[in-house]
Short mmCIF file of all heavy atoms in Angstrom, two decimals:
data_model
loop_
_atom_site.label_atom_id
_atom_site.label_comp_id
_atom_site.label_asym_id
_atom_site.label_seq_id
_atom_site.Cartn_x
_atom_site.Cartn_y
_atom_site.Cartn_z
N ASN V 1 -102.10 169.84 70.03
CA ASN V 1 -101.61 169.01 68.93
C ASN V 1 -100.19 169.37 68.50
O ASN V 1 -99.72 168.94 67.44
CB ASN V 1 -102.55 169.06 67.72
CG ASN V 1 -103.92 168.50 68.06
OD1 ASN V 1 -104.04 167.56 68.83
ND2 ASN V 1 -104.96 169.09 67.48
N THR V 2 -99.50 170.13 69.36
CA THR V 2 -98.08 170.41 69.16
C THR V 2 -97.31 170.00 70.41
O THR V 2 -96.32 169.27 70.32
CB THR V 2 -97.84 171.89 68.85
OG1 THR V 2 -98.55 172.24 67.66
CG2 THR V 2 -96.35 172.17 68.63
N LEU V 3 -97.75 170.46 71.57
CA LEU V 3 -97.16 170.03 72.84
C LEU V 3 -98.08 169.12 73.63
O LEU V 3 -97.63 168.15 74.24
CB LEU V 3 -96.81 171.26 73.68
CG LEU V 3 -95.77 172.22 73.10
CD1 LEU V 3 -95.55 173.38 74.06
CD2 LEU V 3 -94.45 171.51 72.81
N LEU V 4 -99.36 169.44 73.64
CA LEU V 4 -100.35 168.63 74.37
C LEU V 4 -101.46 168.18 73.44
O LEU V 4 -101.71 168.81 72.41
CB LEU V 4 -100.96 169.43 75.52
CG LEU V 4 -100.03 169.92 76.63
CD1 LEU V 4 -100.82 170.70 77.68
CD2 LEU V 4 -99.27 168.76 77.28
N VAL V 5 -102.13 167.10 73.81
CA VAL V 5 -103.31 166.63 73.09
C VAL V 5 -104.47 166.51 74.06
O VAL V 5 -104.29 166.12 75.21
CB VAL V 5 -103.06 165.28 72.39
CG1 VAL V 5 -102.11 165.43 71.24
CG2 VAL V 5 -102.55 164.24 73.38
N SER V 6 -105.65 166.88 73.61
CA SER V 6 -106.86 166.75 74.41
C SER V 6 -107.58 165.48 73.97
O SER V 6 -107.97 165.35 72.80
CB SER V 6 -107.76 167.97 74.22
OG SER V 6 -108.95 167.84 74.96
N GLU V 7 -107.72 164.56 74.90
CA GLU V 7 -108.37 163.30 74.57
C GLU V 7 -109.89 163.50 74.47
O GLU V 7 -110.45 164.40 75.08
CB GLU V 7 -108.06 162.25 75.64
CG GLU V 7 -106.58 162.00 75.85
CD GLU V 7 -105.91 161.33 74.65
OE1 GLU V 7 -106.65 160.76 73.83
OE2 GLU V 7 -104.67 161.41 74.54
N PRO V 8 -110.59 162.66 73.69
CA PRO V 8 -112.05 162.75 73.61
C PRO V 8 -112.68 162.56 74.99
O PRO V 8 -112.11 161.93 75.87
CB PRO V 8 -112.42 161.60 72.67
CG PRO V 8 -111.18 161.32 71.88
CD PRO V 8 -110.04 161.61 72.81
N GLY V 9 -113.86 163.12 75.16
CA GLY V 9 -114.58 162.92 76.41
C GLY V 9 -114.85 164.19 77.18
O GLY V 9 -115.39 164.14 78.29
N GLY V 10 -114.48 165.35 76.62
CA GLY V 10 -114.71 166.60 77.33
C GLY V 10 -116.17 166.87 77.61
O GLY V 10 -116.54 167.36 78.69
N ILE V 11 -117.04 166.53 76.66
CA ILE V 11 -118.47 166.73 76.87
C ILE V 11 -118.96 165.86 78.02
O ILE V 11 -119.76 166.30 78.86
CB ILE V 11 -119.24 166.43 75.58
CG1 ILE V 11 -119.00 167.54 74.55
CG2 ILE V 11 -120.74 166.29 75.86
CD1 ILE V 11 -119.65 167.30 73.20
N ASP V 12 -118.47 164.63 78.11
CA ASP V 12 -118.89 163.74 79.19
C ASP V 12 -118.45 164.27 80.55
O ASP V 12 -119.19 164.19 81.54
CB ASP V 12 -118.31 162.34 78.98
CG ASP V 12 -118.89 161.64 77.76
OD1 ASP V 12 -120.01 162.02 77.35
OD2 ASP V 12 -118.23 160.74 77.23
N VAL V 13 -117.23 164.81 80.61
CA VAL V 13 -116.73 165.36 81.87
C VAL V 13 -117.62 166.53 82.32
O VAL V 13 -118.05 166.60 83.48
CB VAL V 13 -115.27 165.82 81.73
CG1 VAL V 13 -114.82 166.60 82.98
CG2 VAL V 13 -114.36 164.62 81.50
N ARG V 14 -117.90 167.44 81.40
CA ARG V 14 -118.71 168.61 81.76
C ARG V 14 -120.14 168.21 82.08
O ARG V 14 -120.77 168.81 82.95
CB ARG V 14 -118.64 169.63 80.63
CG ARG V 14 -117.26 170.27 80.50
CD ARG V 14 -117.23 171.40 79.50
NE ARG V 14 -116.00 172.17 79.64
CZ ARG V 14 -115.00 172.18 78.77
NH1 ARG V 14 -115.08 171.44 77.68
NH2 ARG V 14 -113.92 172.92 78.99
N ARG V 15 -120.64 167.20 81.39
CA ARG V 15 -122.00 166.74 81.70
C ARG V 15 -122.06 166.21 83.13
O ARG V 15 -123.02 166.48 83.86
CB ARG V 15 -122.45 165.66 80.72
CG ARG V 15 -123.91 165.22 80.96
CD ARG V 15 -124.37 164.19 79.95
NE ARG V 15 -123.58 162.97 80.05
CZ ARG V 15 -122.97 162.40 79.00
NH1 ARG V 15 -123.05 162.95 77.80
NH2 ARG V 15 -122.28 161.29 79.18
N GLY V 16 -121.04 165.46 83.54
CA GLY V 16 -121.03 164.94 84.90
C GLY V 16 -121.06 166.04 85.95
O GLY V 16 -121.77 165.95 86.95
N PHE V 17 -120.28 167.10 85.73
CA PHE V 17 -120.26 168.21 86.67
C PHE V 17 -121.60 168.92 86.70
O PHE V 17 -122.09 169.32 87.77
CB PHE V 17 -119.14 169.19 86.31
CG PHE V 17 -117.80 168.82 86.87
CD1 PHE V 17 -117.02 167.84 86.28
CD2 PHE V 17 -117.31 169.44 88.01
CE1 PHE V 17 -115.78 167.49 86.80
CE2 PHE V 17 -116.07 169.11 88.55
CZ PHE V 17 -115.30 168.12 87.93
N TRP V 18 -122.20 169.11 85.52
CA TRP V 18 -123.50 169.79 85.49
C TRP V 18 -124.62 168.93 86.03
O TRP V 18 -125.55 169.42 86.65
CB TRP V 18 -123.79 170.24 84.06
CG TRP V 18 -123.28 171.63 83.81
CD1 TRP V 18 -122.52 172.38 84.64
CD2 TRP V 18 -123.51 172.43 82.65
NE1 TRP V 18 -122.24 173.60 84.08
CE2 TRP V 18 -122.83 173.66 82.87
CE3 TRP V 18 -124.18 172.23 81.46
CZ2 TRP V 18 -122.84 174.68 81.92
CZ3 TRP V 18 -124.19 173.24 80.51
CH2 TRP V 18 -123.53 174.47 80.74
N GLU V 19 -124.54 167.63 85.82
CA GLU V 19 -125.57 166.74 86.38
C GLU V 19 -125.58 166.80 87.90
O GLU V 19 -126.66 166.72 88.52
CB GLU V 19 -125.34 165.30 85.90
CG GLU V 19 -125.76 165.07 84.46
CD GLU V 19 -125.40 163.68 83.96
OE1 GLU V 19 -124.52 163.02 84.57
OE2 GLU V 19 -125.98 163.26 82.95
N SER V 20 -124.42 166.96 88.50
CA SER V 20 -124.37 167.08 89.96
C SER V 20 -125.09 168.34 90.43
O SER V 20 -125.83 168.31 91.42
CB SER V 20 -122.91 167.12 90.43
OG SER V 20 -122.26 165.89 90.18
N VAL V 21 -124.89 169.44 89.72
CA VAL V 21 -125.58 170.69 90.07
C VAL V 21 -127.08 170.54 89.85
O VAL V 21 -127.89 170.96 90.70
CB VAL V 21 -125.04 171.86 89.22
CG1 VAL V 21 -125.85 173.13 89.47
CG2 VAL V 21 -123.57 172.10 89.53
N ILE V 22 -127.46 169.94 88.74
CA ILE V 22 -128.89 169.75 88.44
C ILE V 22 -129.56 168.91 89.51
O ILE V 22 -130.66 169.24 89.98
CB ILE V 22 -129.04 169.11 87.04
CG1 ILE V 22 -128.62 170.11 85.96
CG2 ILE V 22 -130.47 168.63 86.81
CD1 ILE V 22 -128.45 169.49 84.59
N ASP V 23 -128.91 167.84 89.93
CA ASP V 23 -129.47 166.98 90.97
C ASP V 23 -129.52 167.69 92.32
O ASP V 23 -130.54 167.64 93.02
CB ASP V 23 -128.65 165.69 91.09
CG ASP V 23 -128.79 164.80 89.86
OD1 ASP V 23 -129.75 165.00 89.08
OD2 ASP V 23 -127.92 163.91 89.68
N ASP V 24 -128.43 168.35 92.68
CA ASP V 24 -128.37 169.02 93.98
C ASP V 24 -129.41 170.13 94.11
O ASP V 24 -129.98 170.35 95.19
CB ASP V 24 -126.97 169.61 94.21
CG ASP V 24 -125.92 168.54 94.44
OD1 ASP V 24 -126.30 167.38 94.69
OD2 ASP V 24 -124.72 168.87 94.36
N ARG V 25 -129.67 170.83 93.02
CA ARG V 25 -130.57 171.98 93.06
C ARG V 25 -131.97 171.65 92.56
O ARG V 25 -132.85 172.53 92.55
CB ARG V 25 -129.97 173.14 92.25
CG ARG V 25 -128.58 173.56 92.72
CD ARG V 25 -128.05 174.75 91.97
NE ARG V 25 -128.75 175.97 92.35
CZ ARG V 25 -128.42 176.74 93.38
NH1 ARG V 25 -127.38 176.39 94.16
NH2 ARG V 25 -129.10 177.83 93.66
N GLY V 26 -132.18 170.39 92.15
CA GLY V 26 -133.49 169.98 91.69
C GLY V 26 -133.97 170.72 90.46
O GLY V 26 -135.15 171.08 90.34
N LEU V 27 -133.08 170.96 89.52
CA LEU V 27 -133.42 171.74 88.33
C LEU V 27 -134.15 170.88 87.30
O LEU V 27 -133.88 169.68 87.15
CB LEU V 27 -132.15 172.32 87.71
CG LEU V 27 -131.31 173.23 88.61
CD1 LEU V 27 -130.07 173.71 87.86
CD2 LEU V 27 -132.13 174.41 89.10
N ASP V 28 -135.06 171.52 86.58
CA ASP V 28 -135.84 170.85 85.55
C ASP V 28 -135.13 170.97 84.21
O ASP V 28 -135.56 171.70 83.31
CB ASP V 28 -137.25 171.46 85.48
CG ASP V 28 -138.10 170.82 84.39
OD1 ASP V 28 -137.82 169.65 84.04
OD2 ASP V 28 -139.03 171.48 83.88
N ILE V 29 -134.00 170.26 84.10
CA ILE V 29 -133.25 170.24 82.84
C ILE V 29 -133.15 168.78 82.41
O ILE V 29 -132.34 168.02 82.96
CB ILE V 29 -131.85 170.86 83.01
CG1 ILE V 29 -131.96 172.32 83.47
CG2 ILE V 29 -131.06 170.76 81.71
CD1 ILE V 29 -130.63 172.99 83.72
N PRO V 30 -133.96 168.36 81.45
CA PRO V 30 -133.94 166.95 81.03
C PRO V 30 -132.63 166.58 80.35
O PRO V 30 -131.93 167.44 79.80
CB PRO V 30 -135.13 166.86 80.06
CG PRO V 30 -135.36 168.25 79.60
CD PRO V 30 -134.96 169.15 80.72
N PRO V 31 -132.28 165.31 80.37
CA PRO V 31 -131.00 164.85 79.80
C PRO V 31 -130.80 165.24 78.34
O PRO V 31 -129.69 165.58 77.93
CB PRO V 31 -131.05 163.34 79.97
CG PRO V 31 -131.96 163.12 81.14
CD PRO V 31 -133.00 164.20 81.03
N ASP V 32 -131.88 165.20 77.53
CA ASP V 32 -131.71 165.52 76.11
C ASP V 32 -131.38 167.00 75.91
O ASP V 32 -130.57 167.35 75.04
CB ASP V 32 -132.94 165.12 75.31
CG ASP V 32 -134.22 165.77 75.79
OD1 ASP V 32 -134.26 166.26 76.94
OD2 ASP V 32 -135.20 165.79 75.01
N LEU V 33 -131.97 167.87 76.72
CA LEU V 33 -131.66 169.30 76.63
C LEU V 33 -130.23 169.54 77.09
O LEU V 33 -129.48 170.30 76.45
CB LEU V 33 -132.63 170.11 77.48
CG LEU V 33 -132.32 171.61 77.60
CD1 LEU V 33 -132.32 172.28 76.23
CD2 LEU V 33 -133.33 172.29 78.53
N LEU V 34 -129.84 168.90 78.18
CA LEU V 34 -128.48 169.05 78.69
C LEU V 34 -127.46 168.63 77.64
O LEU V 34 -126.48 169.34 77.38
CB LEU V 34 -128.30 168.22 79.96
CG LEU V 34 -126.91 168.23 80.59
CD1 LEU V 34 -126.52 169.63 81.03
CD2 LEU V 34 -126.86 167.26 81.76
N GLN V 35 -127.70 167.49 77.02
CA GLN V 35 -126.75 166.98 76.02
C GLN V 35 -126.68 167.90 74.81
O GLN V 35 -125.59 168.18 74.29
CB GLN V 35 -127.16 165.57 75.59
CG GLN V 35 -126.18 164.91 74.63
CD GLN V 35 -124.84 164.59 75.26
OE1 GLN V 35 -124.72 164.52 76.48
NE2 GLN V 35 -123.82 164.38 74.43
#
């Protein structure tokens, strides 16, 4: 907020990366727990 700004959506980005791991490894982590 002085030189750079972080736009909203960081949680969505990280969720996408973690969902790939969860799917690839067949983990029992439901969406509500992940969120």
Side-chain angles (χ1 to χ4, degrees):
N1 297 325
T2 301
L3 297 180
L4 298 180
V5 290
S6 179
E7 303 292 341
I11 288 176
D12 293 337
V13 171
R14 291 187 166 110
R15 184 178 62 232
F17 275 79
W18 269 8
E19 284 174 341
S20 294
V21 174
I22 291 168
D23 292 343
D24 290 345
R25 303 184 72 86
L27 302 179
D28 179 25
I29 300 178
D32 58 342
L33 174 60
L34 178 62
Q35 184 68 19

